């Protein structure tokens, strides 16, 4: 797991502020490195220092957007996984776990929170969060959106531009809005 302890006691608000500031500083540095291969390892180090848990030999081209600030600790990335540019994580309360040997295209969004359908008088809509799990050997195409509570099974492929609202079976191809089974992958 991550080298720093990221939990803080609400009775000590200065600790929370310190963790949020550390995340903001290191995330900003990582996102503003030049886009050259030589900086890929430095970017991983900075993202780990920000609080993200990244296994060895992962590659992240960045920039990475994490909302809200203070929630980067909810992101876990496995060995030899690749995240292309402009990956977004909306992770206020739940984790996004990305397995090993996963390939993620540009502008993919992971959203662990959603809102209720009914408006409430003089209030914001209710919200609910569920974790997202991406198993090993998954390929997610450019611009896909992965919503709360979804598990993408081992070896699955998510077509570019898809909105995944339900679990994806292992070794299957899904696409569309909402994503539906396109075909099973023969092993």
């Amino acid at each position: 797991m991550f080298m720093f302890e990221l939990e803080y006691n609400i009775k000590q608000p200065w600790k929370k502020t310190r963790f949020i500031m550390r995340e903001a500083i290191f995330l900003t540095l990582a996102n503003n490195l030049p886009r050259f291969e030589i900086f890929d390892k430095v970017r991983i180090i900075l993202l780990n220092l920000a609080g993200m848990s990244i296994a060895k030999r992962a590659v992240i081209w960045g920039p990475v957007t994490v909302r809200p600030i203070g929630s980067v600790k909810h992101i876990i990335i496995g060995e030899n996984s690749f995240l292309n540019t402009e990956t977004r994580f909306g992770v206020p309360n739940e984790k996004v776990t990305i397995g090993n040997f996963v390939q993620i295209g540009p502008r993919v969004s992971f959203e662990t929170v959603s809102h209720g359908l009914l408006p409430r008088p003089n209030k914001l809509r209710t919200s609910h969060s569920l974790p997202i799990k991406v198993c090993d050997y998954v390929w997610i195409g450019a611009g896909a959106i992965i919503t709360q509570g979804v598990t993408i099974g081992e070896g699955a492929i998510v077509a570019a531009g898809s909105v995944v609202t339900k679990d994806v079976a292992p070794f299957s191809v899904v696409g569309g809005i909402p994503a539906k089974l396109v075909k099973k992958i023969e092993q």
Side-chain angles (χ1 to χ4, degrees), residues 76-83 95-104 110 131-140 146 149-158 164 167-172:
I76 302 165
I77 300 171
E79 282 187 38
N80 294 294
S81 288
F82 170 74
L83 278 69
K95 292 188 183 299
V96 171
T97 305
I98 296 172
N100 301 320
F101 300 95
V102 173
Q103 296 170 280
I104 297 174
F110 297 91
I132 295 171
K133 182 178 180 186
V134 178
C135 296
D136 299 343
Y137 304 102
V138 168
W139 172 23
I140 301 174
I146 315 301
V150 167
T151 296
I152 301 176
E154 181 178 351
I157 298 172
V158 176
V164 182
D167 289 352
V168 177
F171 298 101
S172 60

Side-chain angles (χ1 to χ4, degrees), residues 14-28 50 69-70:
W14 60 271
K15 282 189 176 184
K16 180 176 181 179
T17 302
R18 187 177 79 194
F19 289 122
I20 290 172
M21 288 303 297
R22 182 177 72 205
E23 175 183 319
I25 290 167
F26 287 120
L27 191 58
T28 300
I69 286 292

Side-chain angles (χ1 to χ4, degrees), residues 101-113:
F101 300 95
V102 173
Q103 296 170 280
I104 297 174
R107 295 174 311 284
V108 170
S109 182
F110 297 91
E111 304 296 335
T112 64
V113 69

Side-chain angles (χ1 to χ4, degrees), residues 2 6 41-42 44 58 69 83-84 95-96 127 142-144 146 159 161 166 171 179 184:
F2 183 60
L6 289 176
K41 289 183 180 175
V42 176
I44 297 295
I69 286 292
L83 278 69
N84 207 314
K95 292 188 183 299
V96 171
S127 63
I146 315 301
K166 294 186 169 120
F171 298 101
K184 295 294 277 177

